[in-house]
Structure formats: structure tokens, C-alpha cells
Amino acid sequence: MNEPLLMQNQEGALNQDTFAQKEFINLKNKFGLKYAIETGTCLGYTTDFLCDNYEKVHTVEINEKYLNFALNNRLNKRDNVLVYIGSSANTLIKMIKDLPEQENIFIFLDAHWGQHCPLKEELKQIKESKIKPVIAIHDFVVPNHPELGFDSINGQPFNFEWLKDDFDSIYGEGEYDYYYNSESVGAKRGIIYITPKN
């Protein structure tokens, strides 16, 4: 099966964004992260990168065709990845609970595509799991950086104000820090990073 062409810069982790790749590794080292969860496996490039850098990776994809391609061409030799088929909107909490422990977790939210946007449901499940992970969300509005692409749903851009209440419910108001990427290559997409204060 030939690789489906889904987007520009698809042949590489984080759409070939080496700045984001470095930041993912920086966060892992800074916070002592051992496990990674990814929503939106797609063709498996970012999953493969996470497998190189984390002890255990859990990933979920709603599109069976894309998932099978990732499994057959990229993840079939990995012994540290657990793959789920379905929507992250109702799978994420199971992915968290299936990890060996519920600490030292990095969660990359990237399952939004077109009119499929489970972000709010994903964050609700993180709250219900009672963990305080490091979170990165792809395709996010970066203030003062219009060159960095972002997504929206029903006219609502992916921005901090939209999700602030969700972040507050996970960490507690004022109990987390957040920042954005300011440099990007490849597809040049915005990213927000949320980290617990304690």
C-alpha cells in the first residue's frame, strides 16, 4: 500500500518541525518524563519519534486505514508502543490508566482534523484521571506569530482563552505554566505547552 498524501511535510515527526522535536526532548529531560500519550497517530511519524525517546508510548487513531499503514510501515518493529483504534474523545482516560504508573506522563494532543475536534473531551478525561501531566497541543494560536498555522472549530480558533477553564480544572487555577513555540520549520504550526508548577 502506497503512503496516502494527507498534508505537506508529513514525512517526519511533527510535520518535520525540528524545533518542536527538540522541545519535546527538553520537556522529557526537565520533568523526568517516562511515558508519552499521543492522540492522532495518523501515519505514525510522530509516534515513531516518541518511541525513540520514551519508555512507553500509547497512541490512538480514529482512521483505521491510516492506523494500519502506520502499524505495517512504521511501528511494526516497536515493542514499546500500544496502539488504540477509535476516538480519543472516549479513549484517552483508558490510555492513561493502562500505563504502568500515572506519573511522569507527557500528553500530545493532535487528534483534531477537519470537523473532528475532541480537544475539550480530551482535556475533560485528563481532569477525570486526576493526573497533572505535561501537555502539548498542536495547531494552536501563537500570539504575535501569524506565520504559525492553527486550527479552529465552528469559527473558534484554538487559543488559550477557549481552553483556560479546562486547564484550570486539571491543574488548579494558577498552578500551571504555559508557553508557546516561536520558531518552527516544516509545516510551521503553532504549539502550546502546559506544565504543572509542582
Side-chain angles (χ1 to χ4, degrees):
M1 174 182 170
N2 293 329
E3 180 168 6
L5 181 60
L6 305 177
M7 64 196 85
Q8 291 183 332
N9 306 104
Q10 72 181 28
E11 296 180 350
L14 293 145
N15 304 113
Q16 300 183 8
D17 189 345
T18 53
F19 288 101
Q21 293 169 27
K22 288 175 185 175
E23 188 59 20
F24 278 27
I25 294 171
N26 288 341
L27 286 167
K28 177 202 168 191
N29 294 334
K30 180 178 179 179
F31 289 91
L33 305 173
K34 293 168 62 177
Y35 311 110
I37 291 176
E38 172 195 38
T39 65
T41 315
C42 200
L43 302 178
Y45 284 102
T46 301
T47 319
D48 202 34
F49 166 79
L50 292 171
C51 286
D52 279 338
N53 291 286
Y54 287 85
E55 188 176 307
K56 190 77 174 175
V57 177
H58 288 189
T59 186
V60 61
E61 174 58 49
I62 198 170
N63 186 301
E64 193 169 353
K65 177 183 174 183
Y66 302 161
L67 186 61
N68 285 335
F69 184 89
L71 284 169
N72 294 329
N73 294 277
R74 200 147 289 117
L75 306 178
N76 53 342
K77 295 181 181 177
R78 294 291 190 175
D79 60 6
N80 64 332
V81 64
L82 184 59
V83 176
Y84 301 73
I85 177 74
S87 173
S88 59
N90 51 33
T91 307
L92 183 54
I93 196 164
K94 175 172 173 47
M95 297 169 71
I96 293 168
K97 290 181 176 178
D98 285 348
L99 286 170
E101 57 189 65
Q102 274 65 63
E103 296 179 352
N104 307 312
I105 298 173
F106 173 68
I107 299 181
F108 178 47
L109 302 179
D110 194 26
H112 34 273
W113 183 276
Q115 290 304 301
H116 178 73
C117 182
L119 263 178
K120 285 275 190 181
E121 290 86 354
E122 291 171 338
L123 293 169
K124 182 180 178 183
Q125 288 180 80
I126 294 171
K127 174 187 180 290
E128 290 174 357
S129 72
K130 302 188 187 316
I131 65 169
K132 299 186 189 315
V134 172
I135 298 174
I137 304 176
H138 209 214
D139 310 303
F140 216 84
V141 173
V142 176
N144 305 313
H145 283 275
E147 76 279 8
L148 299 180
F150 60 89
D151 285 354
S152 60
I153 183 73
N154 298 324
Q156 170 61 62
F158 291 7
N159 60 27
F160 178 77
E161 292 73 23
W162 180 47
L163 299 178
K164 179 183 184 301
D165 288 346
D166 300 288
F167 300 148
D168 289 349
S169 72
I170 291 170
Y171 301 97
E173 191 170 2
E175 295 301 315
Y176 60 94
D177 295 310
Y178 68 95
Y179 62 98
Y180 307 93
N181 63 328
S182 58
E183 296 180 284
S184 181
V185 292
K188 296 185 178 179
R189 306 295 288 177
I191 304 174
I192 188 172
Y193 299 95
I194 306 100
T195 62
K197 283 192 173 177
N198 296 317

